[in-house]
Amino acid sequence: MLLNPHTYDPVHLDPESRRLLRATIDFFEERGKKALLDSYIDRAWYSDFLDFAAKEGLFAQFLTPAADDPDEDGPSRRWDTARNAALSEILGFYGLNYWYTWQVTVLGLGPVWQSANQVARTHAARLLDDGHVMAFGLSERGHGADIYATDMVLTPDGGGGFTATGSKYYIGNGNVAGLVSVFGRVAGVEGPDGYVFFAADSRHPTYHLAGNVVNSQMFVSEFRLDDYPVREQDILHTGKAAFDAALNTVNVGKFNLCTAAIGICEHATYEAVTHAHRRILYGNPVTAFPHVRRELTDAYARLAAMKLFAGRAVDYFRSAGPDDRRYLLFNPMTKMKVTTEGEKVIDLLWDVIAAKGFEAGTYFDKAAKDIRGLPKLEGTVHVNLALILKFMPNYLFHPAEYAPVPTRHDAADDEFLFRQGPARGLGQIRFHDWRIAYDAHAHLPNVARFRTQADALGDLLRDHAPDESQQADLDFLLSLGQLFALVVYGQLILEQAGLTDLDDDLLDEIFAILIRDFSAYATELHGKAATTAEQAAWALTQIVRPVTDEQRTGKVWEQVLSLVGAYEMRP
């Protein structure tokens, strides 16, 4: 189930993708663990990694849409979510900082590849070809990512262009980006008509870098523009299209959060399991203690579930189109659910290895810090849960017919992601019947038991739906959203399990965990002040025990033990 750099070979991808992914692993392994940890501790800018990426054409190859490929003689470039997810996982495996410079380059390119401005597109492709990284200038210190309230103001210069003045905050790569996609508004124009996205260059003399706002190896900048000249060829979007470009960029770019969390957890799992099994206490390996076995088994099963969900979500992204926008539900699920599951995995592992998890000579102490940033700094949980709730009625009660979505590892360009259209109408998106995936695995006792909880959620919403005051109470709705998210999570896990022939023991162990989680969120709903007596009574009926099976859990434990010594990074 887990990425192992010693044996990694993504045979499902084309030869050039395989070569670049393998070369990325080899770069980190040849550099070694000491260099990885020392540069993290010293907060050293990762120029060696960026030099490697530039030399190999890594970002140019993975992040240039086919239509903008400037190299007719080299390997064809494309935007391929499957291989982008694979690279995100690898970079997360070696550290959040390396993933971050890639991630914000993805975001910085979003408004460009959505633009009809061919001059800007050609410029961005050439910058990638030259090895540059990009930045996404959306958030501001006073407003966060509230794009309704930007203080980056563009003033007409009288010659068809503008001068831009204002600050941006929390902007990754802002220290070196060859292109910064900046969101602002035209002076004196109120509402959406005044929005503008434009391309800036961090090397321009009127671009002022204030510094790094985080204590980290990554550079998360604050910068200010003072009368920065914005020419016609720098304008990417205007009006409502600029607003849509911001949201659609997030739809594309923030998906990578899930694979970063997976990579971080995989490396930490190897380190933790190996340490625990080799550690002798009272004459026995630490892994001989029942509570340790339970925690490590839970961590492994949760990590497997993360990989299954994220892998299947890739297929929906790649198969999306104007008539199939189901990916817009699975995207906030990856941002919220998969990343918070990553936190749980690290916490379970840390309970086992205890003080070892603080040691400077481990990868784990970096993972324990960095895993927190994904669900918090890159998209807060409550924002994504509120977004997920918009899909709940149609998902649960109004299924539609769709052709089955296949596994998508083909070498195709995911061009629809850059013509998503207006960022509205989420409540009208229809889904195929979620029960199909559950029915296909009904022979597994915990899948069947969780299905009863999922059906019960539908009963709650039909019989005791939130009233008007509860629908305005986000604290109440977020608890409901957690219950709904588990149903969606389970669906894609089951679909991917079927496509990958996952063994039944691990799958049933995963659903034992989902049953416990559903029971916990039902308990939380029961305790909310806004919950009615009828809703509270329903919640108590959903505190359900999973089906236990010592033989099944023992087989999964053997999978955990197989990780002992299976991977250790070169010194």
Side-chain angles (χ1 to χ4, degrees):
M1 283 298 299
L2 306 193
L3 184 159
N4 186 335
H6 294 336
T7 58
Y8 183 79
D9 183 12
V11 294
H12 57 285
L13 297 177
D14 63 280
E16 180 63 6
S17 299
R18 292 169 66 186
R19 185 192 72 78
L20 286 169
L21 293 170
R22 184 67 246 178
T24 302
I25 287 175
D26 291 343
F27 164 79
F28 285 107
E29 290 294 327
E30 290 167 9
R31 188 166 169 255
K33 185 175 182 179
K34 185 178 187 303
L36 186 81
L37 302 187
D38 286 350
S39 60
Y40 184 102
I41 292 167
D42 296 338
R43 305 189 303 277
W45 176 247
Y46 27 71
S47 56
D48 53 349
F49 169 65
L50 294 180
D51 289 344
F52 156 79
K55 176 177 175 291
E56 293 289 345
L58 182 64
F59 291 5
Q61 190 67 230
F62 278 51
L63 299 181
T64 306
D68 297 276
D69 186 352
D71 185 0
E72 296 181 358
D73 299 323
S76 60
R77 300 176 185 183
R78 66 184 188 276
W79 192 287
D80 177 336
T81 304
R83 68 176 186 174
N84 286 358
L87 180 58
S88 288
E89 183 179 356
I90 290 169
L91 296 178
F93 190 95
Y94 290 105
L96 185 71
N97 295 309
Y98 303 98
W99 169 86
Y100 184 73
T101 193
W102 146 268
Q103 160 70 2
V104 290
T105 297
V106 170
L107 293 170
L109 289 167
V112 179
W113 300 145
Q114 292 176 70
S115 176
N117 183 338
Q118 193 56 53
V119 173
R121 294 174 69 104
T122 300
H123 178 58
R126 287 174 179 161
L127 287 172
L128 283 171
D129 208 35
D130 292 339
H132 287 273
V133 294
M134 313 301 173
F136 186 54
L138 182 65
S139 70
E140 299 178 10
R141 189 167 194 169
H143 307 296
D146 176 8
I147 59 178
Y148 294 100
T150 174
D151 293 327
M152 177 65 70
V153 178
L154 285 78
T155 304
D157 64 5
F162 300 88
T163 57
T165 298
S167 297
K168 293 291 179 178
Y169 199 71
Y170 267 95
I171 311 303
N173 289 349
N175 56 326
V176 297
L179 185 151
V180 186
S181 296
V182 182
F183 186 83
R185 59 183 176 86
V186 176
V189 181
E190 298 299 323
D193 290 343
Y195 294 145
V196 179
F197 243 125
F198 63 95
D201 186 339
S202 68
R203 298 162 293 183
H204 194 277
T206 61
Y207 179 106
H208 305 292
L209 185 67
N212 192 351
V213 302
V214 298
N215 183 25
S216 174
Q217 184 180 7
M218 67 178 70
F219 204 103
V220 185
S221 68
E222 178 181 11
F223 70 81
R224 179 172 180 80
L225 303 183
D226 285 312
D227 291 329
Y228 184 98
V230 180
R231 304 161 300 173
E232 183 179 357
Q233 60 262 42
D234 299 323
I235 301 293
L236 302 173
H237 304 274
T238 59
K240 182 65 167 59
F243 179 92
D244 292 335
L247 296 185
N248 290 336
T249 293
V250 170
N251 290 337
V252 175
K254 295 297 180 84
F255 176 79
N256 293 326
L257 301 177
C258 68
T259 40
I262 289 166
I264 290 170
C265 289
E266 286 172 319
H267 196 154
T269 297
Y270 282 119
E271 197 173 64
V273 172
T274 298
H275 169 76
H277 191 67
R278 292 175 177 173
R279 177 81 163 167
I280 305 299
L281 290 180
Y282 312 112
N284 293 298
V286 168
T287 51
F289 295 99
H291 68 289
V292 168
R293 290 191 176 200
R294 178 189 61 80
E295 289 183 309
L296 292 180
T297 300
D298 274 13
Y300 176 74
R302 287 186 186 274
L303 177 52
M306 292 162 64
K307 293 202 72 169
L308 290 164
F309 183 91
R312 185 58 174 152
V314 165
D315 300 332
Y316 285 95
F317 265 77
R318 304 201 70 199
S319 301
D323 300 319
D324 184 356
R325 302 169 70 207
R326 288 174 287 177
Y327 73 102
L328 292 174
L329 166 59
F330 305 138
N331 183 46
M333 282 289 300
T334 60
K335 291 188 291 178
M336 180 280 294
K337 186 64 181 174
V338 177
T339 59
T340 54
E341 285 295 295
E343 289 189 285
K344 291 177 184 177
V345 169
I346 294 297
D347 288 343
L348 286 163
L349 297 173
W350 206 349
D351 278 350
V352 172
I353 66 171
K356 186 70 176 180
F358 291 94
E359 292 184 10
T362 65
Y363 174 87
F364 193 94
D365 86 306
K366 288 79 181 164
K369 173 186 175 183
D370 291 342
I371 198 70
R372 314 297 167 188
L374 293 167
K376 295 177 177 65
L377 296 178
E378 284 286 332
T380 53
V381 169
H382 65 267
V383 168
N384 286 297
L385 267 176
L387 181 59
I388 287 165
L389 284 166
K390 294 179 183 291
F391 302 96
M392 185 165 66
N394 274 351
Y395 178 94
L396 289 176
F397 301 120
H398 306 294
E401 292 291 330
Y402 285 95
V405 171
T407 298
R408 293 293 310 276
H409 292 154
D410 48 305
D413 189 59
D414 299 341
E415 51 85 26
F416 173 74
L417 297 179
F418 301 111
R419 55 177 183 89
Q420 296 176 60
R424 60 175 182 265
L426 302 185
Q428 280 69 57
I429 295 173
R430 302 284 293 278
F431 299 84
H432 63 294
D433 195 335
W434 57 274
R435 300 167 187 84
I436 296 171
Y438 285 89
D439 290 344
H441 296 85
H443 61 285
L444 297 177
N446 283 312
V447 174
R449 186 161 292 186
F450 182 79
R451 166 68 186 274
T452 66
Q453 290 180 308
D455 286 335
L457 177 61
D459 296 339
L460 171 68
L461 295 172
R462 273 190 297 262
D463 301 338
H464 308 292
D467 60 26
E468 188 175 346
S469 63
Q470 288 175 324
Q471 291 181 40
D473 183 346
L474 188 57
D475 184 54
F476 172 84
L477 290 176
L478 292 181
S479 293
L480 201 59
Q482 291 283 12
L483 294 168
F484 172 55
L486 283 170
V487 180
V488 180
Y489 198 54
Q491 178 203 334
L492 263 62
I493 289 169
L494 290 170
E495 290 185 6
Q496 187 71 348
L499 290 168
T500 58
D501 295 324
L502 185 76
D503 70 272
D504 284 351
D505 294 314
L506 179 54
L507 185 58
D508 206 42
E509 195 72 23
I510 289 170
F511 274 82
I513 291 171
L514 297 190
I515 290 168
R516 298 202 312 263
D517 288 352
F518 196 97
S519 300
Y521 288 126
T523 303
E524 183 180 302
L525 182 68
H526 179 273
K528 292 293 181 184
T531 302
T532 66
E534 294 80 7
Q535 291 164 342
W538 173 90
L540 291 177
T541 67
Q542 298 311 306
I543 301 174
V544 176
R545 293 184 63 189
V547 178
T548 59
D549 182 333
E550 290 185 9
Q551 186 177 17
R552 178 198 73 220
T553 303
K555 290 180 179 178
V556 177
W557 174 243
E558 289 302 316
Q559 294 182 38
V560 178
L561 282 183
S562 72
L563 303 178
V564 176
Y567 168 76
E568 294 181 66
M569 191 172 180
R570 281 186 51 182

